[in-house]
Amino acid sequence: MDRYLLSELLPPFLFGVGAFSSIGVTIDAVFDLIRKIVESGLPVGIAIQVFLLKMPYFIVLAFPMSTLLATLMTYSRLSSDSELIALRGCGVSVYRMVLPAIVLSLLVTGMTFVFNEQITPTANYQANQTLQSAIKSDKPVLKQQNIFYPEYRDIQEADGSKTKQLARLFYADQFDGKRMKGLTIIDRSTAGLNQVVVAESAQWNGSQSVWDFYNGTIYLVAPNGSYRNILRFEQQQLKLPRTPLSLVEKSRDYGEMNISESLEQLTVERLGGDRQKIRKLQVRIQQKIALPFVCLVFGLVGAAMGSVPQRTGRGTSFGVCVIVIFTYYLLFFISGAIGQAGVISPFLGAWLPNFIFLGIGLFLLMRVARR
């Protein structure tokens, strides 16, 4: 029985992966690439390369939808042909009949997790880098606000213990892809001398490994807080670490990071203190974990809905599938937005649709089992 049910589930699942991923990539990527070929002179070879790199993202999106389509169509067909009634007549329970669908859903959940962690973020990043290099856009690639980088040093105490003290604090209002702007640096790294640097802008000078500061003032302050000197400058080179720029360069779009990279980015964002960005990233991290489990939820919902005794065709099953997918993703975006707004926790903002549809699937399954 299990082999028969799996053989019935696999063809519509593979069809769904091909159909949904093709529709998604055509709407989202192909039209945009054609426009860039015509308007920006993007080489066709590069466009094909970008297209292939974007495919894993759409395949991942297609996995949950294909699971729902396969389970719904398969169990609806078995119900329409009275095969489920025959199985129940042989003493097979509804829970046992949907077990192959749950096993398939678990396998797809694992595949989705692997794609999301190991393939899709890297492919998305490479696709964007390839596209930007090919069209040679003059627009700044990176844009960041509120760049905050503290640097600490270990202090050996008289009793042998070690404590951490702030050695340097680097803050910039924004980074436009080339220059830091609106800078304030508190430098306590030199013994017996503290300095505060305020500058309009600064740029990393890679050839000399220093920062070039423009239109600013350096305030020199003694450790006891007494005044030392004030130096105004139009251009001044300061030997500070490149780390703040490295942190900005490491920043990627949410779709270009896996969970571990997102957690590293969250640590950086917490240093910056931008609560909105922190909350958004927390929700996205939870969504990265929750998304693979949609396959399991959809597998249960599809099998339960399809097991309801009724006569439906494939067209009806496909229509129901589209409505369920639309409802789920509408709820997914709404709960995510509420989570980002701080009304509910990031965890609940990401997982709420899964919990609701899991409850619906279990309710339908128990209802069918009681008949």
Side-chain angles (χ1 to χ4, degrees), residues 62-325:
F63 278 157
M65 296 185 270
S66 304
T67 305
L68 176 65
L69 180 69
T71 52
L72 186 58
M73 290 183 72
T74 299
Y75 283 87
S76 294
R77 205 274 299 166
L78 294 173
S79 179
S80 298
D81 295 346
S82 302
E83 293 186 41
L84 293 184
I85 296 175
L87 286 172
R88 295 192 72 174
C90 295
V92 181
S93 69
V94 173
Y95 301 113
R96 180 65 183 82
M97 283 190 287
V98 302
L99 185 60
I102 301 301
V103 172
L104 176 66
S105 304
L106 280 171
L107 289 174
V108 180
T109 298
M111 288 168 54
T112 307
F113 191 81
V114 171
F115 263 71
N116 264 343
E117 279 296 289
Q118 303 297 330
I119 301 174
T120 305
T122 305
N124 281 343
Y125 178 73
Q126 290 298 331
N128 289 333
Q129 292 297 310
T130 304
L131 192 59
Q132 288 167 1
S133 301
I135 60 179
K136 296 177 181 177
S137 173
D138 292 330
K139 294 179 181 178
V141 175
L142 299 170
K143 283 186 178 180
Q144 289 282 316
Q145 292 182 334
N146 298 319
I147 298 101
F148 184 90
Y149 172 66
E151 190 175 295
Y152 298 93
R153 61 182 172 184
D154 291 327
I155 302 296
Q156 189 84 27
E157 300 291 345
D159 59 357
S161 62
K162 286 185 178 180
T163 58
K164 280 189 173 182
Q165 285 189 358
L166 182 69
R168 192 179 287 124
L169 181 64
F170 186 105
Y171 174 80
D173 288 337
Q174 60 177 314
F175 177 63
D176 64 4
K178 294 180 180 177
R179 285 191 176 193
M180 299 279 186
K181 294 183 178 178
L183 295 107
T184 302
I185 291 102
I186 300 174
D187 190 355
R188 304 171 60 198
S189 58
T190 305
L193 179 66
N194 296 332
Q195 62 178 350
V196 179
V197 182
V198 179
E200 183 180 300
S201 63
Q203 187 171 16
W204 174 252
N205 186 337
S207 60
Q208 300 180 40
S209 298
V210 295
W211 282 91
D212 290 329
F213 286 80
Y214 301 95
N215 301 324
T217 306
I218 299 176
Y219 300 90
L220 300 177
V221 184
N224 61 5
S226 61
Y227 161 79
R228 282 280 188 87
N229 198 2
I230 295 179
L231 173 64
R232 299 187 187 281
F233 62 86
E234 292 185 357
Q235 181 176 356
Q236 177 72 34
Q237 288 189 334
L238 292 175
K239 196 170 183 59
L240 298 174
R242 188 182 184 278
T243 313
L245 181 61
S246 301
L247 289 174
V248 175
E249 289 176 339
K250 281 179 67 178
S251 178
R252 297 184 180 184
D253 186 72
Y254 298 114
E256 298 172 355
M257 295 186 287
N258 57 25
I259 293 175
S260 61
E261 290 168 339
S262 299
L263 289 172
E264 289 177 7
Q265 183 64 28
L266 180 61
T267 304
V268 175
E269 297 294 351
R270 279 178 171 150
L271 292 175
D274 189 331
R275 291 185 179 181
Q276 188 175 1
K277 291 179 71 174
I278 292 172
R279 193 118 191 142
K280 185 176 182 180
L281 189 52
Q282 287 175 326
V283 173
R284 293 301 177 95
I285 291 171
Q286 289 296 329
Q287 286 177 337
K288 282 179 180 291
I289 302 170
L291 184 63
F293 290 94
V294 183
C295 301
L296 179 61
V297 173
F298 275 3
L300 177 64
V301 170
M305 293 179 71
S307 300
V308 176
Q310 56 188 340
R311 292 191 177 277
T312 56
R314 292 187 174 182
T316 305
S317 299
F318 188 81
V320 173
C321 179
V322 171
I323 293 172
V324 172
I325 291 168

